[in-house]
Amino acid sequence: MSPSSEASGEFLRFPNAIAELVRASACEIVITGGGGWMGQAIIEMLDGALGDDLLKRVSVFGSSARDVQLRSGRTI
C-alpha cells in the first residue's frame, strides 16, 4: 500500500461479499507468520471484516512473541 493511501485512511479490505461470508462463518481462523507482510495484510483485512470479534475468532502465530499494532489502532 502506498504512503498516500495510508495517509488518506485507506486500509486493506475484503470485498463486501467476502467480508459478509467471514462474519457469518462460525469458523475460528489461524494465521501463521503474523509478523510478516502477508500475515499483517490478512490480519488487517480480517480486522475490517470482524471488528471487535477479531480477538475472539483469530489466533496469530509468528517466530517470536510480540504485539502487532494494526493501522486501525487495534493491538494483537
Side-chain angles (χ1 to χ4, degrees):
M1 182 160 275
S2 68
S4 62
S5 60
E6 184 174 339
S8 68
E10 294 178 27
F11 301 115
L12 296 174
R13 299 273 186 217
F14 287 117
N16 289 336
I18 302 296
E20 285 295 324
L21 288 172
V22 170
R23 279 191 288 277
S25 170
C27 293
E28 294 183 21
I29 301 164
V30 175
I31 305 295
T32 59
W37 185 89
M38 287 297 293
Q40 288 186 27
I42 293 168
I43 295 165
E44 181 175 310
M45 294 170 77
L46 288 168
D47 183 32
L50 297 173
D52 291 337
D53 286 341
L54 178 75
L55 300 177
K56 298 174 196 167
R57 302 231 350 241
V58 178
S59 298
V60 180
F61 298 91
S63 60
S64 61
R66 67 182 177 107
D67 289 343
V68 174
Q69 180 76 33
L70 302 177
R71 291 188 291 170
S72 67
R74 190 181 316 275
T75 300
I76 59 166

